Short mmCIF file of all heavy atoms in Angstrom, two decimals:
data_model
loop_
_atom_site.label_atom_id
_atom_site.label_comp_id
_atom_site.label_asym_id
_atom_site.label_seq_id
_atom_site.Cartn_x
_atom_site.Cartn_y
_atom_site.Cartn_z
N ILE A 1 95.87 -67.89 99.89
CA ILE A 1 95.33 -68.76 100.89
C ILE A 1 96.33 -68.79 102.05
O ILE A 1 97.53 -68.83 101.86
CB ILE A 1 95.04 -70.15 100.31
CG1 ILE A 1 94.25 -70.97 101.29
CG2 ILE A 1 96.36 -70.87 99.92
CD1 ILE A 1 93.60 -72.18 100.64
N LEU A 2 95.81 -68.74 103.26
CA LEU A 2 96.60 -68.80 104.48
C LEU A 2 96.60 -70.27 104.98
O LEU A 2 95.56 -70.86 105.18
CB LEU A 2 95.97 -67.89 105.53
CG LEU A 2 96.64 -67.85 106.89
CD1 LEU A 2 97.94 -66.99 106.75
CD2 LEU A 2 95.72 -67.18 107.90
N VAL A 3 97.81 -70.80 105.14
CA VAL A 3 97.93 -72.18 105.62
C VAL A 3 98.57 -72.13 107.04
O VAL A 3 99.67 -71.57 107.21
CB VAL A 3 98.81 -73.03 104.70
CG1 VAL A 3 98.93 -74.43 105.23
CG2 VAL A 3 98.25 -73.06 103.28
N THR A 4 97.87 -72.63 108.00
CA THR A 4 98.32 -72.61 109.41
C THR A 4 98.52 -74.04 109.88
O THR A 4 97.63 -74.90 109.73
CB THR A 4 97.25 -71.94 110.30
OG1 THR A 4 96.99 -70.63 109.77
CG2 THR A 4 97.77 -71.82 111.72
N SER A 5 99.70 -74.29 110.43
CA SER A 5 99.99 -75.54 111.06
C SER A 5 100.21 -75.27 112.55
O SER A 5 101.25 -74.76 112.96
CB SER A 5 101.27 -76.17 110.45
OG SER A 5 101.63 -77.34 111.15
N PRO A 6 99.19 -75.51 113.39
CA PRO A 6 99.24 -75.04 114.75
C PRO A 6 100.31 -75.72 115.68
O PRO A 6 100.49 -75.27 116.76
CB PRO A 6 97.82 -75.30 115.28
CG PRO A 6 97.33 -76.42 114.44
CD PRO A 6 97.94 -76.21 113.09
N GLY A 7 100.98 -76.69 115.17
CA GLY A 7 101.97 -77.34 115.99
C GLY A 7 101.35 -78.50 116.77
O GLY A 7 100.38 -79.14 116.33
N GLY A 8 101.87 -78.74 117.96
CA GLY A 8 101.39 -79.88 118.73
C GLY A 8 102.22 -81.13 118.48
O GLY A 8 102.27 -82.04 119.30
N SER A 9 102.89 -81.15 117.38
CA SER A 9 103.85 -82.23 117.09
C SER A 9 104.94 -81.62 116.19
O SER A 9 104.81 -80.52 115.69
CB SER A 9 103.16 -83.41 116.35
OG SER A 9 102.90 -83.09 115.00
N ALA A 10 105.99 -82.36 116.03
CA ALA A 10 107.09 -81.86 115.21
C ALA A 10 106.98 -82.36 113.79
O ALA A 10 107.93 -82.24 113.02
CB ALA A 10 108.44 -82.32 115.80
N THR A 11 105.80 -82.80 113.39
CA THR A 11 105.60 -83.37 112.08
C THR A 11 105.54 -82.28 111.02
O THR A 11 104.90 -81.25 111.19
CB THR A 11 104.29 -84.14 112.04
OG1 THR A 11 104.35 -85.20 112.94
CG2 THR A 11 103.96 -84.68 110.64
N THR A 12 106.28 -82.47 109.93
CA THR A 12 106.26 -81.57 108.78
C THR A 12 105.21 -82.11 107.82
O THR A 12 105.15 -83.29 107.55
CB THR A 12 107.63 -81.53 108.06
OG1 THR A 12 108.58 -80.99 109.01
CG2 THR A 12 107.57 -80.63 106.86
N SER A 13 104.36 -81.18 107.32
CA SER A 13 103.37 -81.52 106.32
C SER A 13 103.84 -81.00 104.96
O SER A 13 104.69 -80.10 104.91
CB SER A 13 102.01 -80.93 106.68
OG SER A 13 101.54 -81.39 107.93
N PHE A 14 103.32 -81.55 103.90
CA PHE A 14 103.66 -81.09 102.53
C PHE A 14 102.32 -80.88 101.78
O PHE A 14 101.43 -81.68 101.91
CB PHE A 14 104.51 -82.16 101.83
CG PHE A 14 105.79 -82.44 102.55
CD1 PHE A 14 105.88 -83.35 103.59
CD2 PHE A 14 106.94 -81.73 102.17
CE1 PHE A 14 107.07 -83.59 104.27
CE2 PHE A 14 108.15 -81.99 102.82
CZ PHE A 14 108.23 -82.89 103.86
N ILE A 15 102.26 -79.79 101.02
CA ILE A 15 101.04 -79.47 100.29
C ILE A 15 101.33 -79.30 98.80
O ILE A 15 102.49 -78.97 98.39
CB ILE A 15 100.31 -78.24 100.83
CG1 ILE A 15 101.17 -76.98 100.63
CG2 ILE A 15 99.95 -78.40 102.29
CD1 ILE A 15 100.37 -75.68 100.88
N LYS A 16 100.28 -79.48 98.01
CA LYS A 16 100.40 -79.27 96.58
C LYS A 16 99.01 -78.86 96.06
O LYS A 16 97.99 -79.41 96.42
CB LYS A 16 100.78 -80.58 95.87
CG LYS A 16 100.99 -80.41 94.36
CD LYS A 16 101.52 -81.72 93.77
CE LYS A 16 101.79 -81.55 92.34
NZ LYS A 16 102.34 -82.80 91.74
N PHE A 17 99.00 -77.76 95.28
CA PHE A 17 97.76 -77.24 94.69
C PHE A 17 97.58 -77.92 93.30
O PHE A 17 98.53 -78.26 92.64
CB PHE A 17 97.86 -75.75 94.48
CG PHE A 17 97.90 -75.01 95.77
CD1 PHE A 17 99.09 -74.50 96.23
CD2 PHE A 17 96.76 -74.75 96.51
CE1 PHE A 17 99.17 -73.82 97.43
CE2 PHE A 17 96.79 -74.06 97.69
CZ PHE A 17 98.02 -73.60 98.17
N GLY A 18 96.32 -78.17 92.93
CA GLY A 18 96.06 -78.76 91.65
C GLY A 18 94.55 -78.88 91.37
O GLY A 18 93.75 -78.11 91.93
N THR A 19 94.20 -79.84 90.58
CA THR A 19 92.78 -80.10 90.25
C THR A 19 92.29 -81.26 91.13
O THR A 19 92.97 -81.65 92.08
CB THR A 19 92.64 -80.43 88.77
OG1 THR A 19 93.41 -81.56 88.45
CG2 THR A 19 93.09 -79.27 87.86
N ALA A 20 91.13 -81.76 90.85
CA ALA A 20 90.48 -82.77 91.67
C ALA A 20 91.35 -84.00 91.93
O ALA A 20 91.18 -84.67 92.94
CB ALA A 20 89.15 -83.18 91.07
N LEU A 21 92.28 -84.31 91.09
CA LEU A 21 93.10 -85.52 91.20
C LEU A 21 94.49 -85.27 91.82
O LEU A 21 95.34 -86.15 91.83
CB LEU A 21 93.27 -86.18 89.84
CG LEU A 21 91.96 -86.61 89.16
CD1 LEU A 21 92.25 -87.23 87.78
CD2 LEU A 21 91.20 -87.62 90.02
N VAL A 22 94.71 -84.07 92.36
CA VAL A 22 96.02 -83.70 92.91
C VAL A 22 96.38 -84.64 94.10
O VAL A 22 95.53 -85.01 94.92
CB VAL A 22 96.07 -82.22 93.37
CG1 VAL A 22 95.17 -81.94 94.50
CG2 VAL A 22 97.50 -81.84 93.67
N GLU A 23 97.67 -85.02 94.17
CA GLU A 23 98.17 -85.82 95.30
C GLU A 23 99.48 -85.19 95.77
O GLU A 23 100.35 -84.83 94.97
CB GLU A 23 98.42 -87.23 94.82
CG GLU A 23 97.17 -88.02 94.52
CD GLU A 23 97.45 -89.48 94.17
OE1 GLU A 23 98.59 -89.96 94.36
OE2 GLU A 23 96.53 -90.15 93.65
N ALA A 24 99.64 -85.05 97.06
CA ALA A 24 100.86 -84.48 97.61
C ALA A 24 101.84 -85.59 97.92
O ALA A 24 101.45 -86.72 98.27
CB ALA A 24 100.53 -83.70 98.89
N THR A 25 103.12 -85.27 97.84
CA THR A 25 104.19 -86.19 98.24
C THR A 25 105.16 -85.40 99.13
O THR A 25 105.07 -84.18 99.26
CB THR A 25 104.96 -86.73 97.00
OG1 THR A 25 105.72 -85.65 96.40
CG2 THR A 25 104.01 -87.33 95.99
N THR A 26 106.10 -86.11 99.69
CA THR A 26 107.07 -85.46 100.61
C THR A 26 108.13 -84.65 99.87
O THR A 26 109.07 -84.15 100.46
CB THR A 26 107.73 -86.50 101.52
OG1 THR A 26 108.31 -87.51 100.73
CG2 THR A 26 106.69 -87.10 102.48
N THR A 27 107.96 -84.50 98.55
CA THR A 27 108.86 -83.60 97.81
C THR A 27 108.17 -82.31 97.45
O THR A 27 108.78 -81.47 96.80
CB THR A 27 109.39 -84.30 96.53
OG1 THR A 27 108.29 -84.63 95.68
CG2 THR A 27 110.18 -85.55 96.86
N ASP A 28 106.92 -82.14 97.86
CA ASP A 28 106.17 -80.91 97.58
C ASP A 28 106.49 -79.84 98.61
O ASP A 28 107.42 -79.94 99.40
CB ASP A 28 104.68 -81.25 97.48
CG ASP A 28 104.35 -82.09 96.28
OD1 ASP A 28 104.89 -81.76 95.19
OD2 ASP A 28 103.60 -83.01 96.40
N THR A 29 105.70 -78.77 98.67
CA THR A 29 105.98 -77.58 99.50
C THR A 29 105.81 -77.96 100.98
O THR A 29 104.74 -78.37 101.43
CB THR A 29 104.98 -76.47 99.16
OG1 THR A 29 105.14 -76.17 97.76
CG2 THR A 29 105.29 -75.22 99.99
N PRO A 30 106.90 -77.80 101.78
CA PRO A 30 106.82 -78.16 103.20
C PRO A 30 106.11 -77.07 104.02
O PRO A 30 106.27 -75.89 103.81
CB PRO A 30 108.28 -78.30 103.60
CG PRO A 30 109.02 -77.37 102.66
CD PRO A 30 108.26 -77.42 101.38
N ILE A 31 105.36 -77.56 105.00
CA ILE A 31 104.72 -76.69 106.01
C ILE A 31 105.23 -77.18 107.34
O ILE A 31 104.84 -78.29 107.83
CB ILE A 31 103.18 -76.78 105.96
CG1 ILE A 31 102.65 -76.51 104.50
CG2 ILE A 31 102.54 -75.81 106.94
CD1 ILE A 31 102.88 -75.09 104.01
N LEU A 32 106.06 -76.41 107.99
CA LEU A 32 106.64 -76.81 109.27
C LEU A 32 105.62 -76.63 110.42
O LEU A 32 104.79 -75.71 110.37
CB LEU A 32 107.90 -76.04 109.59
CG LEU A 32 108.98 -76.10 108.54
CD1 LEU A 32 110.15 -75.22 108.94
CD2 LEU A 32 109.47 -77.54 108.35
N ALA A 33 105.68 -77.53 111.40
CA ALA A 33 104.78 -77.41 112.53
C ALA A 33 104.95 -76.08 113.23
O ALA A 33 106.06 -75.60 113.37
CB ALA A 33 105.04 -78.57 113.51
N GLY A 34 103.86 -75.47 113.63
CA GLY A 34 103.89 -74.19 114.31
C GLY A 34 104.13 -72.97 113.45
O GLY A 34 104.50 -71.91 113.95
N THR A 35 103.88 -73.13 112.13
CA THR A 35 104.10 -71.97 111.21
C THR A 35 102.79 -71.56 110.53
O THR A 35 101.81 -72.31 110.50
CB THR A 35 105.16 -72.30 110.15
OG1 THR A 35 104.67 -73.37 109.32
CG2 THR A 35 106.48 -72.70 110.80
N VAL A 36 102.85 -70.37 109.97
CA VAL A 36 101.77 -69.82 109.11
C VAL A 36 102.42 -69.38 107.81
O VAL A 36 103.43 -68.67 107.84
CB VAL A 36 101.09 -68.65 109.83
CG1 VAL A 36 100.04 -68.03 108.94
CG2 VAL A 36 100.46 -69.09 111.13
N GLN A 37 101.84 -69.77 106.69
CA GLN A 37 102.37 -69.37 105.38
C GLN A 37 101.24 -68.89 104.49
O GLN A 37 100.12 -69.42 104.59
CB GLN A 37 103.13 -70.55 104.71
CG GLN A 37 104.33 -70.96 105.51
CD GLN A 37 105.11 -72.05 104.79
OE1 GLN A 37 105.33 -71.97 103.59
NE2 GLN A 37 105.51 -73.07 105.55
N VAL A 38 101.51 -67.96 103.61
CA VAL A 38 100.53 -67.42 102.67
C VAL A 38 100.95 -67.78 101.25
O VAL A 38 102.10 -67.68 100.87
CB VAL A 38 100.45 -65.86 102.78
CG1 VAL A 38 99.47 -65.31 101.75
CG2 VAL A 38 100.04 -65.48 104.20
N PHE A 39 99.99 -68.28 100.45
CA PHE A 39 100.20 -68.68 99.09
C PHE A 39 99.20 -68.04 98.15
O PHE A 39 98.07 -67.81 98.56
CB PHE A 39 100.06 -70.21 98.98
CG PHE A 39 101.03 -71.00 99.78
CD1 PHE A 39 100.78 -71.40 101.08
CD2 PHE A 39 102.27 -71.33 99.23
CE1 PHE A 39 101.68 -72.11 101.80
CE2 PHE A 39 103.20 -72.08 99.97
CZ PHE A 39 102.89 -72.46 101.24
N THR A 40 99.60 -67.80 96.93
CA THR A 40 98.74 -67.43 95.84
C THR A 40 98.41 -68.74 95.11
O THR A 40 99.32 -69.44 94.65
CB THR A 40 99.35 -66.43 94.91
OG1 THR A 40 99.67 -65.23 95.63
CG2 THR A 40 98.46 -66.09 93.76
N VAL A 41 97.14 -69.06 95.03
CA VAL A 41 96.76 -70.34 94.34
C VAL A 41 96.87 -70.09 92.84
O VAL A 41 96.31 -69.12 92.30
CB VAL A 41 95.29 -70.72 94.69
CG1 VAL A 41 94.91 -71.95 93.97
CG2 VAL A 41 95.18 -70.88 96.22
N PRO A 42 97.64 -70.93 92.14
CA PRO A 42 97.80 -70.77 90.70
C PRO A 42 96.46 -70.85 89.96
O PRO A 42 95.55 -71.60 90.41
CB PRO A 42 98.71 -71.96 90.32
CG PRO A 42 99.42 -72.34 91.57
CD PRO A 42 98.42 -72.06 92.66
N PRO A 43 96.31 -70.09 88.89
CA PRO A 43 95.05 -70.13 88.11
C PRO A 43 94.71 -71.57 87.69
O PRO A 43 95.56 -72.35 87.33
CB PRO A 43 95.38 -69.29 86.89
CG PRO A 43 96.51 -68.40 87.33
CD PRO A 43 97.30 -69.20 88.30
N GLY A 44 93.42 -71.87 87.77
CA GLY A 44 92.95 -73.19 87.36
C GLY A 44 93.03 -74.23 88.43
O GLY A 44 92.54 -75.35 88.26
N ASN A 45 93.66 -73.95 89.56
CA ASN A 45 93.76 -74.89 90.66
C ASN A 45 92.56 -74.75 91.54
O ASN A 45 92.23 -73.66 92.01
CB ASN A 45 95.07 -74.64 91.40
CG ASN A 45 96.31 -75.11 90.72
OD1 ASN A 45 97.05 -75.95 91.17
ND2 ASN A 45 96.51 -74.60 89.50
N THR A 46 91.91 -75.87 91.83
CA THR A 46 90.66 -75.83 92.62
C THR A 46 90.76 -76.66 93.90
O THR A 46 89.85 -76.63 94.72
CB THR A 46 89.53 -76.41 91.77
OG1 THR A 46 89.91 -77.72 91.35
CG2 THR A 46 89.23 -75.52 90.56
N HIS A 47 91.84 -77.42 94.06
CA HIS A 47 91.98 -78.30 95.23
C HIS A 47 93.41 -78.18 95.78
O HIS A 47 94.33 -77.71 95.10
CB HIS A 47 91.74 -79.74 94.79
CG HIS A 47 90.34 -80.04 94.44
ND1 HIS A 47 89.76 -79.59 93.28
CD2 HIS A 47 89.39 -80.75 95.12
CE1 HIS A 47 88.50 -80.04 93.26
NE2 HIS A 47 88.24 -80.72 94.33
N VAL A 48 93.57 -78.62 97.02
CA VAL A 48 94.89 -78.74 97.63
C VAL A 48 94.95 -80.12 98.31
O VAL A 48 94.00 -80.55 98.91
CB VAL A 48 95.15 -77.59 98.63
CG1 VAL A 48 94.18 -77.59 99.76
CG2 VAL A 48 96.58 -77.63 99.10
N ALA A 49 96.12 -80.73 98.18
CA ALA A 49 96.34 -82.02 98.84
C ALA A 49 97.46 -81.84 99.87
O ALA A 49 98.31 -81.00 99.72
CB ALA A 49 96.79 -83.08 97.80
N ALA A 50 97.40 -82.66 100.90
CA ALA A 50 98.40 -82.59 101.97
C ALA A 50 98.79 -83.97 102.43
O ALA A 50 97.96 -84.91 102.39
CB ALA A 50 97.87 -81.78 103.16
N ILE A 51 100.05 -84.11 102.85
CA ILE A 51 100.52 -85.37 103.41
C ILE A 51 101.51 -85.02 104.53
O ILE A 51 102.12 -83.96 104.48
CB ILE A 51 101.19 -86.25 102.30
CG1 ILE A 51 101.49 -87.64 102.81
CG2 ILE A 51 102.45 -85.56 101.79
CD1 ILE A 51 101.93 -88.61 101.70
N ASN A 52 101.63 -85.87 105.54
CA ASN A 52 102.57 -85.68 106.63
C ASN A 52 103.76 -86.56 106.44
O ASN A 52 103.65 -87.67 105.94
CB ASN A 52 101.90 -85.99 107.95
CG ASN A 52 100.77 -85.07 108.26
OD1 ASN A 52 100.91 -83.85 108.09
ND2 ASN A 52 99.64 -85.58 108.69
N SER A 53 104.91 -86.09 106.93
CA SER A 53 106.12 -86.91 106.83
C SER A 53 106.01 -88.15 107.75
O SER A 53 106.43 -89.23 107.38
CB SER A 53 107.37 -86.08 107.21
OG SER A 53 107.22 -85.53 108.48
N THR A 54 105.45 -87.93 108.92
CA THR A 54 105.17 -89.03 109.85
C THR A 54 104.03 -88.58 110.76
O THR A 54 103.75 -87.42 110.89
CB THR A 54 106.39 -89.34 110.76
OG1 THR A 54 106.70 -88.21 111.55
CG2 THR A 54 107.60 -89.81 109.98
N GLY A 55 103.38 -89.51 111.35
CA GLY A 55 102.36 -89.18 112.36
C GLY A 55 101.20 -88.37 111.78
O GLY A 55 100.84 -88.50 110.61
N SER A 56 100.65 -87.50 112.61
CA SER A 56 99.53 -86.66 112.18
C SER A 56 99.76 -85.21 112.54
O SER A 56 100.49 -84.90 113.47
CB SER A 56 98.20 -87.15 112.76
OG SER A 56 98.25 -87.02 114.18
N GLN A 57 99.23 -84.32 111.78
CA GLN A 57 99.34 -82.88 112.04
C GLN A 57 98.09 -82.21 111.44
O GLN A 57 97.66 -82.52 110.35
CB GLN A 57 100.58 -82.31 111.36
CG GLN A 57 100.78 -80.81 111.49
CD GLN A 57 101.01 -80.45 112.93
OE1 GLN A 57 101.66 -81.11 113.71
NE2 GLN A 57 100.42 -79.35 113.37
N THR A 58 97.51 -81.28 112.15
CA THR A 58 96.36 -80.52 111.67
C THR A 58 96.84 -79.38 110.82
O THR A 58 97.80 -78.70 111.19
CB THR A 58 95.54 -80.00 112.86
OG1 THR A 58 95.06 -81.11 113.63
CG2 THR A 58 94.39 -79.16 112.40
N LEU A 59 96.17 -79.14 109.69
CA LEU A 59 96.43 -77.97 108.87
C LEU A 59 95.12 -77.24 108.70
O LEU A 59 94.07 -77.84 108.50
CB LEU A 59 96.95 -78.39 107.50
CG LEU A 59 98.34 -79.02 107.43
CD1 LEU A 59 98.62 -79.42 105.96
CD2 LEU A 59 99.40 -78.08 107.93
N TYR A 60 95.20 -75.92 108.73
CA TYR A 60 94.00 -75.09 108.48
C TYR A 60 94.23 -74.26 107.24
O TYR A 60 95.31 -73.62 107.09
CB TYR A 60 93.72 -74.15 109.68
CG TYR A 60 93.40 -74.84 110.94
CD1 TYR A 60 94.33 -74.92 111.99
CD2 TYR A 60 92.14 -75.41 111.12
CE1 TYR A 60 94.03 -75.56 113.16
CE2 TYR A 60 91.82 -76.07 112.31
CZ TYR A 60 92.77 -76.17 113.30
OH TYR A 60 92.46 -76.81 114.49
N PHE A 61 93.28 -74.25 106.32
CA PHE A 61 93.38 -73.51 105.08
C PHE A 61 92.33 -72.44 105.12
O PHE A 61 91.12 -72.72 105.25
CB PHE A 61 93.14 -74.40 103.88
CG PHE A 61 94.22 -75.43 103.72
CD1 PHE A 61 94.16 -76.63 104.40
CD2 PHE A 61 95.31 -75.22 102.91
CE1 PHE A 61 95.16 -77.60 104.27
CE2 PHE A 61 96.30 -76.17 102.75
CZ PHE A 61 96.22 -77.37 103.43
N THR A 62 92.72 -71.16 104.99
CA THR A 62 91.77 -70.04 105.05
C THR A 62 91.91 -69.23 103.77
O THR A 62 92.95 -68.74 103.48
CB THR A 62 92.13 -69.12 106.25
OG1 THR A 62 92.15 -69.94 107.45
CG2 THR A 62 91.07 -68.01 106.41
N GLY A 63 90.81 -69.14 103.03
CA GLY A 63 90.78 -68.40 101.81
C GLY A 63 90.68 -66.87 102.07
O GLY A 63 90.22 -66.45 103.12
N GLY A 64 91.13 -66.12 101.12
CA GLY A 64 91.02 -64.67 101.25
C GLY A 64 91.41 -63.98 99.95
O GLY A 64 91.83 -64.64 98.99
N ASP A 65 91.28 -62.68 99.93
CA ASP A 65 91.60 -61.88 98.76
C ASP A 65 92.06 -60.55 99.27
O ASP A 65 91.39 -59.91 100.08
CB ASP A 65 90.41 -61.78 97.84
CG ASP A 65 90.72 -61.14 96.52
OD1 ASP A 65 91.91 -61.10 96.18
OD2 ASP A 65 89.80 -60.69 95.85
N GLY A 66 93.14 -60.08 98.77
CA GLY A 66 93.61 -58.75 99.20
C GLY A 66 95.11 -58.66 99.30
O GLY A 66 95.83 -59.47 98.77
N GLU A 67 95.53 -57.62 99.95
CA GLU A 67 96.95 -57.34 100.05
C GLU A 67 97.49 -57.65 101.42
O GLU A 67 96.87 -57.59 102.42
CB GLU A 67 97.22 -55.90 99.71
CG GLU A 67 96.82 -55.61 98.30
CD GLU A 67 97.01 -54.15 97.94
OE1 GLU A 67 97.85 -53.46 98.52
OE2 GLU A 67 96.30 -53.71 97.03
#
């Protein structure tokens, strides 16, 4: 999955993959403003949760398959 944080603010977001009840905290995987990161979703994970350290930040999640 491609995670894009387009910037616009200096807010760091944090994400966590899991099942329907997943909740993200500020100790999970950081996504810095203005960055793009690629992740392999662990088997059995169907959802992703996100939280911001402060303020608001848009995140885009794009699914895909390949190399």
